[in-house]
Amino acid sequence: MSTAVMPVRVTTAAQAAARDAAAIAAGTPSYSLMHRAGTSAAHAILAHVAEVRSAGAVVFCGGGNNGGDGWVVAGELARAGCPVSVVEVAAPSTDDATRAKAEALPALAGHAEPRHPAVVVDALLGTGATGALRDALLPHVDAIAATRAAGATVVALDLPSGIDATTGAGGRCVRADITLAFGTLKRGHLLRRDECGAIVCLDIGLGPHAALDDGAPTLVDAAYVRDAVPPIPADAHKGVRRRLGIVGGGEGMAGAPMLAARGAMRSGVGMVQLLVAPSNVPVVQAALPETMAGRWPVTAEDQDRVLHWTHCLLLGPGLGRTAMTRALVERLLVEWKGPVVLDADALNVFEGEPRMLGSLLGARPAIVTPHPVEAARLLRRDGASVSAERFAVGAELAKQLGATVILKGVPTVISAPDGRVAVSASGSPALGTAGSGDVLAGIVATLLAQTGDPFASACSAAWVHGRAGEIAVSEGSVRGTSLEDIVEALRRAWRLDEPAHHAAVLTTLPAVGSVR
Ligand SMILES: NC(=O)C1=CN([C@@H]2O[C@H](COP(=O)(O)OP(=O)(O)OC[C@H]3O[C@@H](n4cnc5c(N)ncnc54)[C@H](O)[C@@H]3O)[C@@H](O)[C@H]2O)[C@@H](O)CC1
Ligand SMILES: [K+]
């Protein structure tokens, strides 16, 4: 895959520091990174909160380089004519922060103090923070919260103070409306979306060092998907757009494969056949007349018919966790050598046996789409540890299965068996509902049938599915959004348009927490 713009990386604190260090070692003065971070942040604040020009800003500066960024922001806002005051929580302890303060002071001298600031800048702590916030900072965190309660917009520099950039851990922390991330997104941003608010990743002049090849995942965006998913040609017919067989829908669970089919049909599939429990065949046929419906391919004859017809098999939605499921999935994986997507019960029946499943999958293009509990079952771990270590667990599972893994969640982590890892951070809490995974499975199976590329299909499907969730919510509310709306929003999501942003902005993510 090649994208015109360098993809944004999702880093740990150490990986972020390594990028700064690499740029500095290659000749970029460290102060120039800080200056660029602070000036870009000031411009972003002026662009996002117009009232800052009249009502002004108060900047809370810690003693490290994050505080140094804060001093640069304060100076720039003052030079732009905004009333600005600084709360110096600790004196600068680094050379760059000392210089930033010295350069800001002349601009701040004799400047009007904001009485009811429109903006509070949190420059207490950034990637250098370790452990829980020390007590001395708590009154300042409270002061920031009180000013927010009075109507100010809280802008966090690099990340909200109190959140660990690597693990997302942290109890008391700043709650931001906008987080201005520098150079890279940090894992902590994507694990703590409620506290970050809208996230804007700014270019601070790391250049090619931002893409240091140290395993830090890339962030999937619209440009990635545009590159990975081919356009549908003018003369396309259902064979070109590919045929998808979906095996699922046990007794009382006809809805799951139907949702998968609807995800597929809103993602450019040519034809879908649903293979369900015999009693569900008439239900499916009546509900989705544009698909074909048949009973589970248990006999050799039924299998032949399906396997000669399909380009890809999706196994699992609503299949049921039974001995029959295990036998059927095993049999199909032996008889069918082509691309497969396994979800839900098709994974659950291999509890604790990832190697066995891996040997059935062989070297074919394959994708599995577990949520953390399903991944935990496969690996016989506890669900909480899978969520906490989602970046490592996805990669481990991909290696054991020899398949691409979409570990669903906030954020979704996509891992290939060859070690590539990407993150999709599109989405909305509206997606956290029964049936959502079935829709995703239908999208990803369609893309796999069309491209044959599991990793690109997995990344693209995860992003588009999340984007549909964002669109559906932006047109209404989280509570009022049903899966119906999300399936419908795929129509818009597939336009793959991106918000137009300023050149200094590398990527943006909307605020998704605390949204009604
Ligand atoms: N060259 C660079 O490395 C650049 C760094 N930049 C900024 O610098 C930040 C990292 O700066 P630093 O490494 O100086 O670290 P920070 O400024 O994030 O924090 C370090 C300071 O916080 C204190 N501290 C650590 N943990 C604490 C806790 N739990 N409670 C209270 N105080 C705590 C330390 O004693 C130290 O004074 C980035 O997040 C970014 O904002 C940017 O200016 C761009 C360039
Ligand atoms: K901060």
Side-chain angles (χ1 to χ4, degrees):
M1 129 21 247
S2 70
T3 45
V5 183
M6 227 165 24
V8 169
R9 297 289 181 131
V10 180
T11 62
T12 61
Q15 288 170 332
R19 282 161 175 72
D20 292 340
I24 293 164
T28 305
S30 66
Y31 185 72
S32 108
L33 296 176
M34 178 179 283
H35 188 260
R36 177 100 177 249
T39 49
S40 301
H43 292 149
I45 291 168
L46 289 162
H48 280 87
V49 192
E51 313 85 76
V52 72
R53 290 182 188 277
S54 51
V58 53
V59 184
F60 284 76
C61 293
N65 285 332
N66 194 254
D69 297 337
W71 281 106
V72 178
V73 168
E76 284 299 305
L77 290 177
R79 276 184 274 273
C82 311
V84 181
S85 64
V86 173
V87 178
E88 186 179 45
V89 170
S93 61
T94 70
D95 290 348
D96 286 341
T98 304
R99 178 171 168 192
K101 178 181 173 184
E103 290 190 4
L105 285 180
L108 293 164
H111 221 73
E113 294 260 323
R115 295 185 57 200
H116 299 289
V119 168
V120 188
V121 177
D122 160 29
L124 293 172
L125 296 175
T127 54
T130 47
L133 273 183
R134 289 177 206 144
D135 289 349
L137 289 187
L138 297 180
H140 302 292
V141 172
D142 291 342
I144 292 171
T147 318
R148 181 173 189 251
T153 298
V154 175
V155 179
L157 299 189
D158 215 9
L159 77 161
S161 301
I163 294 179
D164 186 286
T166 301
T167 63
R172 284 286 290 287
C173 63
V174 168
R175 182 169 191 126
D177 299 293
I178 303 172
T179 293
L180 302 173
F182 296 140
T184 62
L185 287 177
K186 318 304 179 281
R187 290 181 180 188
H189 290 133
L190 305 185
L191 296 164
R192 298 292 293 272
R193 293 290 290 273
D194 280 307
E195 288 80 4
C196 288
I199 301 169
V200 179
C201 186
L202 296 172
D203 186 357
I204 62 162
L206 295 174
H209 307 289
L212 199 68
D213 202 8
D214 58 358
T218 52
L219 182 77
V220 183
D221 57 12
Y224 177 96
V225 183
R226 276 198 298 272
D227 206 45
V229 179
I232 294 176
D235 60 351
H237 51 75
K238 53 187 189 254
V240 173
R241 291 171 62 160
R242 300 295 180 177
R243 295 183 293 267
L244 172 63
I246 302 176
V247 182
E251 295 281 345
M253 293 182 287
M258 289 199 282
L259 282 166
R262 293 175 61 213
M265 290 187 293
R266 285 219 183 262
S267 297
V269 79
M271 220 173 163
V272 179
Q273 184 167 176
L274 289 110
L275 300 148
V276 295
S279 61
N280 281 334
V281 174
V283 180
V284 167
Q285 192 75 88
L288 294 177
E290 61 276 58
T291 66
M292 293 159 66
R295 56 178 190 254
W296 284 325
V298 178
T299 66
E301 197 187 17
D302 284 350
Q303 270 169 24
D304 264 8
R305 206 172 318 119
V306 176
L307 302 184
H308 279 100
W309 174 89
T310 198
H311 291 110
C312 176
L313 277 185
L314 164 57
L315 308 177
L319 197 49
R321 209 169 152 187
T322 65
M324 191 286 309
T325 297
R326 171 72 182 244
L328 180 61
V329 172
E330 273 195 29
R331 180 90 187 269
L332 287 170
L333 290 178
V334 170
E335 298 297 326
W336 169 250
K337 305 288 179 213
V340 287
V341 175
L342 269 68
D343 184 34
D345 291 328
L347 295 175
N348 289 332
V349 292
F350 289 94
E351 177 167 359
E353 297 179 84
R355 299 263 177 217
M356 167 71 185
L357 177 55
S359 69
L360 285 163
L361 293 174
R364 80 180 85 209
I367 301 171
V368 301
T369 63
H371 55 58
V373 175
E374 287 162 351
R377 262 189 214 122
L378 263 174
L379 291 165
R380 283 244 166 85
R381 296 175 53 139
D382 69 292
S385 80
V386 169
S387 287
E389 294 161 41
R390 61 181 57 246
F391 291 91
V393 169
E396 179 192 331
L397 188 56
K399 229 167 252 152
Q400 290 201 24
L401 295 176
T404 293
V405 175
I406 302 180
L407 184 55
K408 297 180 280 195
V410 183
T412 290
V413 178
I414 303 106
S415 310
D418 64 9
R420 282 173 296 164
V421 185
V423 174
S424 174
S426 64
S428 140
L431 291 164
T433 175
S436 187
D438 301 318
V439 175
L440 171 64
I443 302 170
V444 74
T446 298
L447 300 186
L448 184 60
Q450 293 175 345
T451 69
D453 180 339
F455 188 67
S457 299
C459 292
S460 302
W463 186 87
V464 165
H465 180 246
R467 183 76 191 116
E470 289 172 0
I471 291 169
V473 168
S474 72
E475 290 170 346
S477 60
V478 174
R479 277 185 193 278
T481 298
S482 69
L483 260 193
E484 198 72 31
D485 303 317
I486 290 162
V487 171
E488 163 70 28
L490 280 168
R491 182 156 47 160
R492 275 247 336 258
W494 274 115
R495 287 194 339 208
L496 304 178
D497 34 43
E498 245 166 334
H501 43 58
H502 190 267
V505 174
L506 298 173
T507 197
T508 57
L509 297 172
V512 289
S514 306
V515 179
R516 288 192 187 279

